[in-house]
Amino acid sequence: MRSLDLARSVCERFHPGLLKELDQIPYTDRERPGSPVIDLFRIHGGVGLLIPEEYGGHGADALDALRVQLALGAVSPSLVAAVSMHHFTVAMLYSLAVKAGRLTDEQTALLRRIVPDQQVVASGWAEGRTAQNILKPAVTARPVRDGFLLTGAKKPCSLSRSMSLLTASVAIHGDDGEPELALALVPADAPGLTVHPYWGNDLLAGAESDEVRLEDVFVPAGMVVRAGADDPHRLDDLQSAGFVWFEMLISAGYAGGALALVEQVLERERGSVAERASLAVDMETAVALLEGVARATGPEPGDEESVARVLVARYAVQNALPDIASRALELLGGLDFIRGSGPAQAAAALRALAFHPPSRTAAAEPLLRWFDGGQLVLA
């Protein structure tokens, strides 16, 4: 399929050999707990896709990143779900880094090690929440001498067993009782940080989405990014930018899974010409919608229009994918269903797009206000 072929060529350009190695692993092994897919992602330079070139990364733009996600989603829903968390997190971190004075020398030195050491970064942000003061961290930071003690949990937390670094949004409670939003950079081997089983579904089990607990984890003051009086909204703005990256990349990942099913239908010439063409048109419509969002996405897509645009695309794709996958499975036929569980598992996995916050119900009223000319405020 032309769009998937293009996505594969882009992925090969950034991560030579990755798709070939993934394809050599049986589908069920890619998706099981303990799957090797995240290690292969690291080995093939996956962590640097959105990291600027001056920090050793590829500095991919939004459209190329989206196409890489389409290609990875076609072979492993678990992998693409996991690495979406890494990518949107580093996109935020390096947005801070490339601005003079935004990070300390200590923080910048840490970021310079991510690509050379192929470190995977997990996200302890309250996924799917954006706009001013909406993000409510599940982790609190208690000031102590020379730093903070972090307490709380993130569940589920993708990449929990492969991560080198956890980025956690934290609430620092000052003397006035008002929480201050901050970002803590926590090494995975920090005393008090533990990982516990949480994910109980066979689908997406390779994403390592378990529980990360923080029990009085000490983080030096130099590893906590605070807004600062000179720019009190900078972390809010970064949340919005990260939100746009996440919604775009995760939607592309699940769309890649559907693309692979449609491609099988076309290659095997299953069903009538009209049925195949109809299926392909619906799939290409979803891909084109996501590509349109990517083309309109700037380096810091944190404005309300960007958030609204990506939400519209995400929900439209979310609506389309289950029907596309169901029709593809029907056209592939009963013998294909009997001979292997891969296509059926892939079709079931893409339904998980609906479970990433914000839910369609939660976003309905904010979007209606936005469509009517008001502000977009997600709760």
Side-chain angles (χ1 to χ4, degrees):
M1 201 167 174
R2 183 185 294 268
S3 57
L4 190 49
D5 287 341
L6 175 59
R8 288 173 178 138
S9 68
V10 173
C11 187
E12 180 68 16
R13 173 157 51 91
F14 286 107
H15 312 311
L18 175 58
L19 292 176
K20 181 179 180 180
E21 287 208 44
L22 290 171
D23 198 48
Q24 290 173 348
I25 302 169
Y27 183 87
T28 52
D29 289 342
R30 293 176 221 156
E31 299 304 296
R32 62 171 174 78
S35 164
V37 295
I38 295 172
D39 277 343
L40 289 174
F41 170 79
R42 291 174 57 256
I43 291 168
H44 289 273
V47 305
L49 183 66
L50 292 182
I51 294 176
E53 292 180 354
E54 57 263 43
Y55 284 83
H58 295 295
D61 63 22
L63 184 58
D64 279 345
L66 181 140
R67 286 171 171 161
V68 170
Q69 290 288 96
L70 286 170
L72 294 181
V75 292
S76 177
S78 287
L79 176 60
V80 83
V83 303
S84 295
M85 307 304 291
H86 168 88
H87 287 320
F88 100 84
T89 303
V90 299
M92 289 191 297
L93 284 176
Y94 287 89
S95 290
L96 279 174
V98 297
K99 292 181 177 180
R102 295 289 186 172
L103 295 181
T104 66
D105 291 344
E106 186 179 6
Q107 293 160 358
T108 301
L110 183 148
L111 295 188
R112 290 195 182 280
R113 296 200 301 268
I114 288 179
V115 172
D117 296 344
Q118 283 300 296
Q119 296 180 2
V120 174
V121 181
S123 170
W125 292 73
E127 176 192 321
R129 312 190 74 153
T130 186
Q132 291 186 11
N133 301 320
I134 291 298
L135 185 143
K136 297 177 181 178
V139 178
T140 60
R142 179 164 55 91
V144 295
R145 182 170 179 168
D146 298 328
F148 299 88
L149 290 179
L150 273 52
T151 300
K154 166 67 173 170
K155 54 182 181 181
C157 182
S158 298
L159 301 167
S160 58
R161 300 184 184 276
S162 293
M163 66 180 179
S164 300
L165 182 70
L166 173 70
T167 61
S169 60
V170 299
I172 301 174
H173 293 273
D175 295 336
D176 60 1
E178 287 296 317
E180 173 196 345
L181 176 68
L183 170 64
L185 308 176
V186 189
D189 58 359
L193 187 155
T194 54
V195 179
H196 303 265
Y198 184 76
W199 192 264
N201 198 320
D202 290 340
L203 298 174
L204 304 174
E208 302 180 350
S209 298
D210 287 317
E211 177 184 3
V212 174
R213 296 179 192 168
L214 301 163
E215 298 181 9
D216 286 340
V217 174
F218 177 74
V219 177
M223 286 292 103
V224 176
V225 183
R226 304 177 73 166
D230 62 325
D231 194 356
H233 299 299
R234 67 177 173 181
L235 290 182
D236 292 325
D237 294 341
L238 279 174
Q239 290 174 63
S240 296
F243 176 88
V244 172
W245 276 110
F246 175 75
E247 294 293 331
M248 179 174 57
L249 295 177
I250 197 69
S251 299
Y254 289 115
L259 257 175
L261 293 172
V262 174
E263 182 181 62
Q264 292 179 52
V265 171
L266 301 189
E267 287 180 345
R268 301 180 192 180
E269 298 186 350
R270 304 308 301 263
S272 68
V273 170
E275 287 173 320
R276 296 198 301 274
S278 175
L279 184 66
V281 165
D282 289 348
M283 184 70 251
E284 289 297 329
T285 300
V287 171
L289 183 57
L290 292 173
E291 289 182 342
V293 171
R295 288 188 172 94
T297 297
E300 293 185 47
D303 60 284
E304 286 188 348
E305 185 176 349
S306 296
V307 173
R309 185 189 302 118
V310 78
L311 281 177
V312 169
R314 176 254 170 104
Y315 295 130
V317 171
Q318 179 179 312
N319 286 342
L321 295 188
D323 177 66
I324 290 170
S326 177
R327 288 155 58 197
L329 287 180
E330 183 176 355
L331 291 174
L332 287 172
L335 284 179
D336 186 87
F337 183 85
I338 292 168
R339 288 169 178 161
S341 59
Q345 288 181 348
L350 60 83
R351 288 183 172 271
L353 179 56
F355 305 134
H356 290 283
S359 70
R360 188 163 40 196
T361 300
E365 189 171 339
L367 279 174
L368 286 174
R369 283 197 300 267
W370 167 257
F371 295 147
D372 199 35
Q375 286 189 313
L376 179 63
V377 180
L378 299 175

